[in-house]
Amino acid sequence: MFGLFGLSYEFRWSVLWVDPHLTWLLNGLSTTLRLAAISWIIAVLLGIIFGAMRTVSFRPAHAIATVYVEFFRNVPLLVWLFFWYFGAPEVFPEFLKQWFIRHGIEFWSGVAAISIYHGSRLAEVIRSGIQAIPKTQLEAGLSSGLSVIETYRLILIPVALRLIVPPATNESLNLLKNTSLAMTIGVAELTFAARQIETYTAKAVEALTAAALIYLVLCLTISMIMNKIERKYAIPGLIARGTGAEH
Amino acid sequence: MIEFRGVNKWFGSLHVLKDINLAIKQREVVVVCGPSGSGKSTLIRCINRLERIQNGEIIVDGISLSGKKTDITKLRAEVGMVFQQFNLYPHKTALENIILAPIWVRKQSRAKALKIGKDLMAKVGIPDKLDSYPAQLSGGQQQRVAIARALAMQPKIMLFDEPTSALDPEMINEVLDVMTNLAREGMTMIVITHEMGFAHRVSTRIIFMDEGQILEDESPELFFTQPKNERTRFFLSKILTH
Amino acid sequence: MSFDWSVIFSNAKFLLLQGLVGIGVYGGGTLRLAIPAILLGFVIGIILGLARMANRPWIHYPAVLYIELIRGVPLIIVIFWFWFLVPVIIGRPIPEYWVALTAFVIFEGAYIGEIIRAGIQSVPKGQVEAATASGLSYAHIMFDVILPQAIRNMIPALVTQFIVLFKDTSLASIIGMMDLTKAAQTVSERELRPFEMYLFIAVVYWIFTYSMSRVAHRLEVRMSPDRRP
């Protein structure tokens, strides 16, 4: 018993580890991780392609990338989830629609929404990383006879990657946390599981706390790993750049 | 070796190179000087097409830069360039900086590139800094690595864009010494610098530019003793007094 | 599949007036939620940012704990938390609008706090030393010397965070508050036109956030000693 302003709310933490509740949570966690991992890989690819495209002077490439980035990152993810789940499949060609339905339309709509949305945000991170490198590095590469592509591959991108790691980590954590929104289109991920337990037991605080703790542990683990990577690949003699603001 | 024929260039409405005609032969060491904004930097950046010209023609090693079929990366491999701000790649060690282009552009084997790289580091006088990162080197050392990096491509021409302007005074000579040796070996060099001692001792020709034009193109002896142009005299009086 | 864009026009009044602005029987409204959330979040953020930089451990550590805890969990969890917890605490349910507003302020305050801290730390240490050496008090050092410089440094990040907050208000629809997203959902379920509906509100959100990001970009360009033209 726990009294709050005279009202009582009876904590019953055991609801978390009786079955099927524990199974729900674990399945939810595994769905969250799968959703985050697949979306992250696609988002990183999109981010690299479109982020690099925004730094080239070739007009059409630049324009396409700008439209992609500016449209997708400036609209709420929730709207994109609804769009990809409710709206987009209607206009898909039949085979694609069938594929989606066969493989779990909720999950793959979630992947589409999250990866395209976060891809546009990662593209911005990558663009600013590339642009933080002095233009003279490009000239140094070109004047030694490297082609534009080689200069990007061997010099600009490796340096930019190091500048990008801290903000990209932040963005990746945002992606992980944002997978929770997929519950709104019926993906049985972690937050969905917590709500499900709440529905069956009316123990909202316990269920939400459990989910919150799991997210917290995931986020802390990832940021610890990324810190290690950052330190391992730090360029000797160069002091890490100041604490940049997030988002 | 290098020829400018009626070259003009504008940055927007700013006319930075005005009808430049210039011929530089093999083994010449040409010093270019002039006030800032005179177009001297633009002039040498046109030689490896870091800047494009609007009209006229530039011919480097018998190849026209404006030709449609000109393979510019191939040409750049023959023209080494050293920058004011060194522009070493910060994530690579000194040696890695040097061997990058030989391996990728010249398709040298790694072993061969490493050997050449080590020799060059010895040649520029810092054989013990092979594995240092740029940020761990002094400015003079960084610039010497940058020269070694350009030499590793075995270029036919070397361009120097104010190679000592960003250096502390005590480091200027260590870089100029490397450049002097290079000139003695017969390298074709174009050097933008205000180091008039170097110009006097080493160059075969001095070009003075102002407002996008070549005002003076003389042997060092005549340049310092009998400058033709009023603005050259004014420039020299300012630069030689300190 | 054929499109029917007229569904937008026939429902425009409901979507924009009720959903976006919040005028109508349902209350709510994206702007009516976003504007106070931004202002209050900023206030909480300044307090948290300063608290985190405080020397006194009993101020410093609670602020660290708060910021790190909040930043480690998804916003939707915080919203649900308030949604379920507040009625238990005060004994009666409260309107969705107030749940959402509280959750947003609490959540965004943590993020804004970090921006404030980074901005303050971006001011060179010598500034504090010079001000201290001239005998200024802590309040004067903070408000006359440090904050004016710091705010200049953090404006781009702040505007970006406000954009994030504006987009985040769409999550209020999950607990049933009638905002632009919820309005679109309602119309889309009635008219069976999800493609047109969601694309339309995407554009509406975009108009607001994109204009904000242009402002942020202008400030960034104007305030950074940038190398490139």
Side-chain angles (χ1 to χ4, degrees), chain B residues 158-177:
Chain B
M158 283 284 282
L159 308 175
F160 294 84
D161 189 355
E162 306 211 29
T164 57
S165 303
L167 296 177
D168 293 333
E170 72 271 19
M171 292 172 184
I172 289 176
N173 279 332
E174 64 188 52
V175 172
L176 290 180
D177 287 347

mmCIF file with all atom_site columns, all heavy atoms in Angstrom, chain B residues 158-177:
data_model
loop_
_atom_site.group_PDB
_atom_site.id
_atom_site.type_symbol
_atom_site.label_atom_id
_atom_site.label_alt_id
_atom_site.label_comp_id
_atom_site.label_asym_id
_atom_site.label_entity_id
_atom_site.label_seq_id
_atom_site.pdbx_PDB_ins_code
_atom_site.Cartn_x
_atom_site.Cartn_y
_atom_site.Cartn_z
_atom_site.occupancy
_atom_site.B_iso_or_equiv
_atom_site.pdbx_formal_charge
_atom_site.auth_seq_id
_atom_site.auth_comp_id
_atom_site.auth_asym_id
_atom_site.auth_atom_id
_atom_site.pdbx_PDB_model_num
ATOM 1   N N   . MET B 1 158 ? 56.166 21.933 -59.606 1.00 0.00 ? 158 MET B N   1
ATOM 2   C CA  . MET B 1 158 ? 55.710 22.125 -58.227 1.00 0.00 ? 158 MET B CA  1
ATOM 3   C C   . MET B 1 158 ? 55.187 23.551 -58.061 1.00 0.00 ? 158 MET B C   1
ATOM 4   O O   . MET B 1 158 ? 55.863 24.512 -58.426 1.00 0.00 ? 158 MET B O   1
ATOM 5   C CB  . MET B 1 158 ? 56.869 21.904 -57.244 1.00 0.00 ? 158 MET B CB  1
ATOM 6   C CG  . MET B 1 158 ? 57.229 20.452 -57.006 1.00 0.00 ? 158 MET B CG  1
ATOM 7   S SD  . MET B 1 158 ? 56.057 19.592 -55.926 1.00 0.00 ? 158 MET B SD  1
ATOM 8   C CE  . MET B 1 158 ? 56.583 20.199 -54.322 1.00 0.00 ? 158 MET B CE  1
ATOM 9   N N   . LEU B 1 159 ? 53.984 23.652 -57.475 1.00 0.00 ? 159 LEU B N   1
ATOM 10  C CA  . LEU B 1 159 ? 53.399 24.965 -57.201 1.00 0.00 ? 159 LEU B CA  1
ATOM 11  C C   . LEU B 1 159 ? 53.427 25.200 -55.693 1.00 0.00 ? 159 LEU B C   1
ATOM 12  O O   . LEU B 1 159 ? 53.047 24.331 -54.917 1.00 0.00 ? 159 LEU B O   1
ATOM 13  C CB  . LEU B 1 159 ? 51.948 25.012 -57.685 1.00 0.00 ? 159 LEU B CB  1
ATOM 14  C CG  . LEU B 1 159 ? 51.680 24.596 -59.129 1.00 0.00 ? 159 LEU B CG  1
ATOM 15  C CD1 . LEU B 1 159 ? 50.184 24.570 -59.404 1.00 0.00 ? 159 LEU B CD1 1
ATOM 16  C CD2 . LEU B 1 159 ? 52.381 25.534 -60.093 1.00 0.00 ? 159 LEU B CD2 1
ATOM 17  N N   . PHE B 1 160 ? 53.877 26.377 -55.287 1.00 0.00 ? 160 PHE B N   1
ATOM 18  C CA  . PHE B 1 160 ? 53.901 26.708 -53.854 1.00 0.00 ? 160 PHE B CA  1
ATOM 19  C C   . PHE B 1 160 ? 53.056 27.961 -53.649 1.00 0.00 ? 160 PHE B C   1
ATOM 20  O O   . PHE B 1 160 ? 53.372 29.013 -54.191 1.00 0.00 ? 160 PHE B O   1
ATOM 21  C CB  . PHE B 1 160 ? 55.327 26.979 -53.372 1.00 0.00 ? 160 PHE B CB  1
ATOM 22  C CG  . PHE B 1 160 ? 56.227 25.774 -53.407 1.00 0.00 ? 160 PHE B CG  1
ATOM 23  C CD1 . PHE B 1 160 ? 56.884 25.416 -54.578 1.00 0.00 ? 160 PHE B CD1 1
ATOM 24  C CD2 . PHE B 1 160 ? 56.420 24.993 -52.274 1.00 0.00 ? 160 PHE B CD2 1
ATOM 25  C CE1 . PHE B 1 160 ? 57.729 24.313 -54.620 1.00 0.00 ? 160 PHE B CE1 1
ATOM 26  C CE2 . PHE B 1 160 ? 57.253 23.880 -52.304 1.00 0.00 ? 160 PHE B CE2 1
ATOM 27  C CZ  . PHE B 1 160 ? 57.903 23.542 -53.471 1.00 0.00 ? 160 PHE B CZ  1
ATOM 28  N N   . ASP B 1 161 ? 51.988 27.832 -52.855 1.00 0.00 ? 161 ASP B N   1
ATOM 29  C CA  . ASP B 1 161 ? 51.110 28.979 -52.609 1.00 0.00 ? 161 ASP B CA  1
ATOM 30  C C   . ASP B 1 161 ? 51.411 29.541 -51.219 1.00 0.00 ? 161 ASP B C   1
ATOM 31  O O   . ASP B 1 161 ? 50.864 29.080 -50.227 1.00 0.00 ? 161 ASP B O   1
ATOM 32  C CB  . ASP B 1 161 ? 49.649 28.543 -52.727 1.00 0.00 ? 161 ASP B CB  1
ATOM 33  C CG  . ASP B 1 161 ? 48.696 29.723 -52.707 1.00 0.00 ? 161 ASP B CG  1
ATOM 34  O OD1 . ASP B 1 161 ? 49.161 30.861 -52.510 1.00 0.00 ? 161 ASP B OD1 1
ATOM 35  O OD2 . ASP B 1 161 ? 47.483 29.495 -52.886 1.00 0.00 ? 161 ASP B OD2 1
ATOM 36  N N   . GLU B 1 162 ? 52.268 30.524 -51.151 1.00 0.00 ? 162 GLU B N   1
ATOM 37  C CA  . GLU B 1 162 ? 52.703 31.129 -49.886 1.00 0.00 ? 162 GLU B CA  1
ATOM 38  C C   . GLU B 1 162 ? 53.067 30.075 -48.839 1.00 0.00 ? 162 GLU B C   1
ATOM 39  O O   . GLU B 1 162 ? 52.476 30.028 -47.762 1.00 0.00 ? 162 GLU B O   1
ATOM 40  C CB  . GLU B 1 162 ? 51.601 32.050 -49.329 1.00 0.00 ? 162 GLU B CB  1
ATOM 41  C CG  . GLU B 1 162 ? 51.165 33.090 -50.349 1.00 0.00 ? 162 GLU B CG  1
ATOM 42  C CD  . GLU B 1 162 ? 50.730 34.381 -49.700 1.00 0.00 ? 162 GLU B CD  1
ATOM 43  O OE1 . GLU B 1 162 ? 51.238 34.686 -48.617 1.00 0.00 ? 162 GLU B OE1 1
ATOM 44  O OE2 . GLU B 1 162 ? 49.890 35.079 -50.300 1.00 0.00 ? 162 GLU B OE2 1
ATOM 45  N N   . PRO B 1 163 ? 54.069 29.257 -49.131 1.00 0.00 ? 163 PRO B N   1
ATOM 46  C CA  . PRO B 1 163 ? 54.339 28.106 -48.255 1.00 0.00 ? 163 PRO B CA  1
ATOM 47  C C   . PRO B 1 163 ? 54.836 28.477 -46.873 1.00 0.00 ? 163 PRO B C   1
ATOM 48  O O   . PRO B 1 163 ? 54.767 27.663 -45.966 1.00 0.00 ? 163 PRO B O   1
ATOM 49  C CB  . PRO B 1 163 ? 55.416 27.334 -49.019 1.00 0.00 ? 163 PRO B CB  1
ATOM 50  C CG  . PRO B 1 163 ? 56.071 28.357 -49.890 1.00 0.00 ? 163 PRO B CG  1
ATOM 51  C CD  . PRO B 1 163 ? 54.995 29.313 -50.270 1.00 0.00 ? 163 PRO B CD  1
ATOM 52  N N   . THR B 1 164 ? 55.331 29.704 -46.699 1.00 0.00 ? 164 THR B N   1
ATOM 53  C CA  . THR B 1 164 ? 55.871 30.037 -45.375 1.00 0.00 ? 164 THR B CA  1
ATOM 54  C C   . THR B 1 164 ? 55.062 31.106 -44.647 1.00 0.00 ? 164 THR B C   1
ATOM 55  O O   . THR B 1 164 ? 55.406 31.499 -43.547 1.00 0.00 ? 164 THR B O   1
ATOM 56  C CB  . THR B 1 164 ? 57.330 30.538 -45.494 1.00 0.00 ? 164 THR B CB  1
ATOM 57  O OG1 . THR B 1 164 ? 57.357 31.661 -46.377 1.00 0.00 ? 164 THR B OG1 1
ATOM 58  C CG2 . THR B 1 164 ? 58.239 29.464 -46.054 1.00 0.00 ? 164 THR B CG2 1
ATOM 59  N N   . SER B 1 165 ? 53.957 31.535 -45.255 1.00 0.00 ? 165 SER B N   1
ATOM 60  C CA  . SER B 1 165 ? 53.215 32.651 -44.641 1.00 0.00 ? 165 SER B CA  1
ATOM 61  C C   . SER B 1 165 ? 52.554 32.291 -43.322 1.00 0.00 ? 165 SER B C   1
ATOM 62  O O   . SER B 1 165 ? 52.312 33.153 -42.498 1.00 0.00 ? 165 SER B O   1
ATOM 63  C CB  . SER B 1 165 ? 52.133 33.146 -45.593 1.00 0.00 ? 165 SER B CB  1
ATOM 64  O OG  . SER B 1 165 ? 52.729 33.521 -46.797 1.00 0.00 ? 165 SER B OG  1
ATOM 65  N N   . ALA B 1 166 ? 52.234 30.995 -43.150 1.00 0.00 ? 166 ALA B N   1
ATOM 66  C CA  . ALA B 1 166 ? 51.544 30.619 -41.918 1.00 0.00 ? 166 ALA B CA  1
ATOM 67  C C   . ALA B 1 166 ? 52.507 30.152 -40.843 1.00 0.00 ? 166 ALA B C   1
ATOM 68  O O   . ALA B 1 166 ? 52.096 29.642 -39.817 1.00 0.00 ? 166 ALA B O   1
ATOM 69  C CB  . ALA B 1 166 ? 50.519 29.518 -42.225 1.00 0.00 ? 166 ALA B CB  1
ATOM 70  N N   . LEU B 1 167 ? 53.807 30.326 -41.096 1.00 0.00 ? 167 LEU B N   1
ATOM 71  C CA  . LEU B 1 167 ? 54.793 29.759 -40.172 1.00 0.00 ? 167 LEU B CA  1
ATOM 72  C C   . LEU B 1 167 ? 55.370 30.811 -39.229 1.00 0.00 ? 167 LEU B C   1
ATOM 73  O O   . LEU B 1 167 ? 55.483 31.987 -39.579 1.00 0.00 ? 167 LEU B O   1
ATOM 74  C CB  . LEU B 1 167 ? 55.945 29.142 -40.965 1.00 0.00 ? 167 LEU B CB  1
ATOM 75  C CG  . LEU B 1 167 ? 55.590 27.958 -41.854 1.00 0.00 ? 167 LEU B CG  1
ATOM 76  C CD1 . LEU B 1 167 ? 56.814 27.505 -42.624 1.00 0.00 ? 167 LEU B CD1 1
ATOM 77  C CD2 . LEU B 1 167 ? 55.027 26.814 -41.036 1.00 0.00 ? 167 LEU B CD2 1
ATOM 78  N N   . ASP B 1 168 ? 55.767 30.346 -38.041 1.00 0.00 ? 168 ASP B N   1
ATOM 79  C CA  . ASP B 1 168 ? 56.510 31.215 -37.140 1.00 0.00 ? 168 ASP B CA  1
ATOM 80  C C   . ASP B 1 168 ? 57.873 31.495 -37.768 1.00 0.00 ? 168 ASP B C   1
ATOM 81  O O   . ASP B 1 168 ? 58.429 30.638 -38.463 1.00 0.00 ? 168 ASP B O   1
ATOM 82  C CB  . ASP B 1 168 ? 56.702 30.528 -35.780 1.00 0.00 ? 168 ASP B CB  1
ATOM 83  C CG  . ASP B 1 168 ? 55.376 30.374 -35.063 1.00 0.00 ? 168 ASP B CG  1
ATOM 84  O OD1 . ASP B 1 168 ? 54.474 31.189 -35.333 1.00 0.00 ? 168 ASP B OD1 1
ATOM 85  O OD2 . ASP B 1 168 ? 55.240 29.432 -34.266 1.00 0.00 ? 168 ASP B OD2 1
ATOM 86  N N   . PRO B 1 169 ? 58.446 32.675 -37.498 1.00 0.00 ? 169 PRO B N   1
ATOM 87  C CA  . PRO B 1 169 ? 59.697 33.077 -38.163 1.00 0.00 ? 169 PRO B CA  1
ATOM 88  C C   . PRO B 1 169 ? 60.806 32.031 -38.062 1.00 0.00 ? 169 PRO B C   1
ATOM 89  O O   . PRO B 1 169 ? 61.501 31.783 -39.041 1.00 0.00 ? 169 PRO B O   1
ATOM 90  C CB  . PRO B 1 169 ? 60.088 34.354 -37.417 1.00 0.00 ? 169 PRO B CB  1
ATOM 91  C CG  . PRO B 1 169 ? 58.820 34.891 -36.881 1.00 0.00 ? 169 PRO B CG  1
ATOM 92  C CD  . PRO B 1 169 ? 57.922 33.729 -36.624 1.00 0.00 ? 169 PRO B CD  1
ATOM 93  N N   . GLU B 1 170 ? 60.928 31.383 -36.909 1.00 0.00 ? 170 GLU B N   1
ATOM 94  C CA  . GLU B 1 170 ? 62.061 30.471 -36.762 1.00 0.00 ? 170 GLU B CA  1
ATOM 95  C C   . GLU B 1 170 ? 61.887 29.196 -37.594 1.00 0.00 ? 170 GLU B C   1
ATOM 96  O O   . GLU B 1 170 ? 62.818 28.407 -37.726 1.00 0.00 ? 170 GLU B O   1
ATOM 97  C CB  . GLU B 1 170 ? 62.289 30.134 -35.274 1.00 0.00 ? 170 GLU B CB  1
ATOM 98  C CG  . GLU B 1 170 ? 61.256 29.226 -34.650 1.00 0.00 ? 170 GLU B CG  1
ATOM 99  C CD  . GLU B 1 170 ? 60.076 29.983 -34.049 1.00 0.00 ? 170 GLU B CD  1
ATOM 100 O OE1 . GLU B 1 170 ? 59.886 31.172 -34.432 1.00 0.00 ? 170 GLU B OE1 1
ATOM 101 O OE2 . GLU B 1 170 ? 59.366 29.416 -33.225 1.00 0.00 ? 170 GLU B OE2 1
ATOM 102 N N   . MET B 1 171 ? 60.708 28.998 -38.158 1.00 0.00 ? 171 MET B N   1
ATOM 103 C CA  . MET B 1 171 ? 60.493 27.777 -38.934 1.00 0.00 ? 171 MET B CA  1
ATOM 104 C C   . MET B 1 171 ? 60.560 28.016 -40.431 1.00 0.00 ? 171 MET B C   1
ATOM 105 O O   . MET B 1 171 ? 60.528 27.094 -41.221 1.00 0.00 ? 171 MET B O   1
ATOM 106 C CB  . MET B 1 171 ? 59.112 27.200 -38.606 1.00 0.00 ? 171 MET B CB  1
ATOM 107 C CG  . MET B 1 171 ? 59.020 26.685 -37.195 1.00 0.00 ? 171 MET B CG  1
ATOM 108 S SD  . MET B 1 171 ? 57.354 26.252 -36.815 1.00 0.00 ? 171 MET B SD  1
ATOM 109 C CE  . MET B 1 171 ? 57.557 25.801 -35.102 1.00 0.00 ? 171 MET B CE  1
ATOM 110 N N   . ILE B 1 172 ? 60.644 29.304 -40.801 1.00 0.00 ? 172 ILE B N   1
ATOM 111 C CA  . ILE B 1 172 ? 60.582 29.627 -42.224 1.00 0.00 ? 172 ILE B CA  1
ATOM 112 C C   . ILE B 1 172 ? 61.773 29.035 -42.970 1.00 0.00 ? 172 ILE B C   1
ATOM 113 O O   . ILE B 1 172 ? 61.629 28.421 -44.026 1.00 0.00 ? 172 ILE B O   1
ATOM 114 C CB  . ILE B 1 172 ? 60.497 31.161 -42.406 1.00 0.00 ? 172 ILE B CB  1
ATOM 115 C CG1 . ILE B 1 172 ? 59.119 31.635 -41.950 1.00 0.00 ? 172 ILE B CG1 1
ATOM 116 C CG2 . ILE B 1 172 ? 60.754 31.549 -43.855 1.00 0.00 ? 172 ILE B CG2 1
ATOM 117 C CD1 . ILE B 1 172 ? 58.925 33.126 -41.991 1.00 0.00 ? 172 ILE B CD1 1
ATOM 118 N N   . ASN B 1 173 ? 62.953 29.145 -42.366 1.00 0.00 ? 173 ASN B N   1
ATOM 119 C CA  . ASN B 1 173 ? 64.144 28.705 -43.077 1.00 0.00 ? 173 ASN B CA  1
ATOM 120 C C   . ASN B 1 173 ? 64.177 27.206 -43.337 1.00 0.00 ? 173 ASN B C   1
ATOM 121 O O   . ASN B 1 173 ? 64.651 26.766 -44.370 1.00 0.00 ? 173 ASN B O   1
ATOM 122 C CB  . ASN B 1 173 ? 65.396 29.154 -42.334 1.00 0.00 ? 173 ASN B CB  1
ATOM 123 C CG  . ASN B 1 173 ? 65.699 30.609 -42.659 1.00 0.00 ? 173 ASN B CG  1
ATOM 124 O OD1 . ASN B 1 173 ? 65.347 31.080 -43.741 1.00 0.00 ? 173 ASN B OD1 1
ATOM 125 N ND2 . ASN B 1 173 ? 66.320 31.317 -41.733 1.00 0.00 ? 173 ASN B ND2 1
ATOM 126 N N   . GLU B 1 174 ? 63.678 26.413 -42.377 1.00 0.00 ? 174 GLU B N   1
ATOM 127 C CA  . GLU B 1 174 ? 63.733 24.971 -42.588 1.00 0.00 ? 174 GLU B CA  1
ATOM 128 C C   . GLU B 1 174 ? 62.909 24.578 -43.818 1.00 0.00 ? 174 GLU B C   1
ATOM 129 O O   . GLU B 1 174 ? 63.242 23.626 -44.515 1.00 0.00 ? 174 GLU B O   1
ATOM 130 C CB  . GLU B 1 174 ? 63.276 24.218 -41.331 1.00 0.00 ? 174 GLU B CB  1
ATOM 131 C CG  . GLU B 1 174 ? 61.822 24.444 -40.940 1.00 0.00 ? 174 GLU B CG  1
ATOM 132 C CD  . GLU B 1 174 ? 61.475 23.839 -39.574 1.00 0.00 ? 174 GLU B CD  1
ATOM 133 O OE1 . GLU B 1 174 ? 62.206 24.128 -38.603 1.00 0.00 ? 174 GLU B OE1 1
ATOM 134 O OE2 . GLU B 1 174 ? 60.489 23.089 -39.494 1.00 0.00 ? 174 GLU B OE2 1
ATOM 135 N N   . VAL B 1 175 ? 61.844 25.336 -44.087 1.00 0.00 ? 175 VAL B N   1
ATOM 136 C CA  . VAL B 1 175 ? 61.036 25.046 -45.271 1.00 0.00 ? 175 VAL B CA  1
ATOM 137 C C   . VAL B 1 175 ? 61.711 25.589 -46.534 1.00 0.00 ? 175 VAL B C   1
ATOM 138 O O   . VAL B 1 175 ? 61.793 24.909 -47.555 1.00 0.00 ? 175 VAL B O   1
ATOM 139 C CB  . VAL B 1 175 ? 59.615 25.623 -45.107 1.00 0.00 ? 175 VAL B CB  1
ATOM 140 C CG1 . VAL B 1 175 ? 58.824 25.496 -46.408 1.00 0.00 ? 175 VAL B CG1 1
ATOM 141 C CG2 . VAL B 1 175 ? 58.878 24.913 -43.986 1.00 0.00 ? 175 VAL B CG2 1
ATOM 142 N N   . LEU B 1 176 ? 62.254 26.810 -46.417 1.00 0.00 ? 176 LEU B N   1
ATOM 143 C CA  . LEU B 1 176 ? 62.918 27.400 -47.583 1.00 0.00 ? 176 LEU B CA  1
ATOM 144 C C   . LEU B 1 176 ? 64.132 26.560 -48.002 1.00 0.00 ? 176 LEU B C   1
ATOM 145 O O   . LEU B 1 176 ? 64.408 26.412 -49.192 1.00 0.00 ? 176 LEU B O   1
ATOM 146 C CB  . LEU B 1 176 ? 63.356 28.842 -47.270 1.00 0.00 ? 176 LEU B CB  1
ATOM 147 C CG  . LEU B 1 176 ? 62.220 29.859 -47.128 1.00 0.00 ? 176 LEU B CG  1
ATOM 148 C CD1 . LEU B 1 176 ? 62.784 31.238 -46.828 1.00 0.00 ? 176 LEU B CD1 1
ATOM 149 C CD2 . LEU B 1 176 ? 61.339 29.898 -48.372 1.00 0.00 ? 176 LEU B CD2 1
ATOM 150 N N   . ASP B 1 177 ? 64.841 25.975 -47.029 1.00 0.00 ? 177 ASP B N   1
ATOM 151 C CA  . ASP B 1 177 ? 65.999 25.139 -47.358 1.00 0.00 ? 177 ASP B CA  1
ATOM 152 C C   . ASP B 1 177 ? 65.583 23.951 -48.222 1.00 0.00 ? 177 ASP B C   1
ATOM 153 O O   . ASP B 1 177 ? 66.242 23.612 -49.206 1.00 0.00 ? 177 ASP B O   1
ATOM 154 C CB  . ASP B 1 177 ? 66.665 24.629 -46.067 1.00 0.00 ? 177 ASP B CB  1
ATOM 155 C CG  . ASP B 1 177 ? 67.418 25.749 -45.353 1.00 0.00 ? 177 ASP B CG  1
ATOM 156 O OD1 . ASP B 1 177 ? 67.618 26.807 -45.992 1.00 0.00 ? 177 ASP B OD1 1
ATOM 157 O OD2 . ASP B 1 177 ? 67.769 25.567 -44.176 1.00 0.00 ? 177 ASP B OD2 1
#
